[in-house]
Amino acid sequence: MRHKGEAVQGGSTITQQLVKNVFLSNKKSLDRKIEEVLLAVDIEHKYSKDKILEFYLNNVYFGRGNYGIETAAKGYFQKDIKDLTLSETAFLAAIPNNPSKYDPINNKGNTLERRNLILKVMLEQKYIDKIQYDSAVKEEIVLSPLSLPVAKGDYVTSFAIDNAAKDLMKYDGFQFKYKFKDDADKAKYQKNTVICIQTMINVLELGDILFIRLLTCQSKNSCRIV
């Protein structure tokens, strides 16, 4: 979706992004794209739009080891999602489009610009009124981040480290899951996930990080995660 020439959301639907991020690898190929579309259609036949959006928000990556909107709220503001202001919620919504470009710590200005764009679209679509919009745009975003170990460098390196951490978690016996008995069960899982990701990233020494990146480089000017 585009808003007056600016990309507000990627070309893929929310369902396709969910399939790509949760069920498929990030390898780019025609076969993978076809599989992505077919799985998205199957999911849309089985689940309501609200359920798909909920599943997406509970699993999408918000950068710095934060998976899911609730974890991101705690990771950046040390708040429950229900306690966030409109401005803070829009600020978090800006991140998944590009967690490196919209990193709230290193690129807060970019995140604020996208927050304002999101709020503008919400105003134009009549999800909020002018008073709410003006208040949210003027609100100062005060971060209170948890101490999360984050790799310095570009998106490729950060993404490689994150995937390596998850692979280590799987190897160590961590069971990833996407369905929960209740909110308490989900909150407990999200807390354990953050702790495990932090622990695994801590054990990745600089030499391991460089080795991971070396394996992903196809040429001097082309690197990708495989």
Side-chain angles (χ1 to χ4, degrees), residues 58-192:
N58 284 336
N59 289 276
V60 70
Y61 186 50
F62 286 84
R64 297 181 172 258
N66 294 294
Y67 286 87
I69 186 69
E70 182 68 37
T71 303
K74 289 190 168 107
Y76 292 116
F77 295 106
Q78 296 193 43
K79 294 182 180 180
D80 290 332
I81 182 65
K82 63 182 176 59
D83 296 324
L84 294 180
T85 65
L86 170 62
S87 184
E88 289 169 340
T89 303
F91 184 84
L92 290 183
I95 302 171
N97 180 266
N98 188 327
S100 178
K101 180 179 179 180
Y102 300 113
D103 183 314
I105 308 299
N106 294 334
N107 298 309
K108 188 177 180 181
N110 292 342
T111 323
L112 288 171
E113 285 183 13
R114 187 165 178 82
R115 176 206 64 176
N116 293 345
L117 175 61
I118 290 169
L119 290 168
K120 188 174 183 181
V121 172
M122 291 179 71
L123 174 64
E124 293 174 349
Q125 296 296 322
K126 302 187 185 305
Y127 288 108
I128 58 176
D129 59 34
K130 186 66 164 56
I131 295 176
Q132 291 174 306
Y133 169 78
D134 289 339
S135 176
V137 168
K138 292 176 183 177
E139 181 181 323
E140 181 183 1
I141 295 294
V142 180
L143 297 171
S144 182
L146 294 174
S147 181
L148 292 174
V150 180
K152 297 180 179 179
D154 61 24
Y155 177 73
V156 173
T157 304
S158 298
F159 189 77
I161 295 168
D162 179 71
N163 277 272
K166 288 194 291 183
D167 285 341
L168 285 173
M169 289 166 67
K170 290 178 183 178
Y171 182 79
D172 200 44
F174 186 90
Q175 296 293 318
F176 287 92
K177 64 179 185 178
Y178 309 100
K179 293 183 179 180
F180 308 96
K181 294 182 293 184
D182 49 39
D183 289 342
D185 183 44
K186 182 172 73 174
K188 181 180 179 182
Y189 170 79
Q190 290 175 332
K191 180 179 179 180
N192 289 338

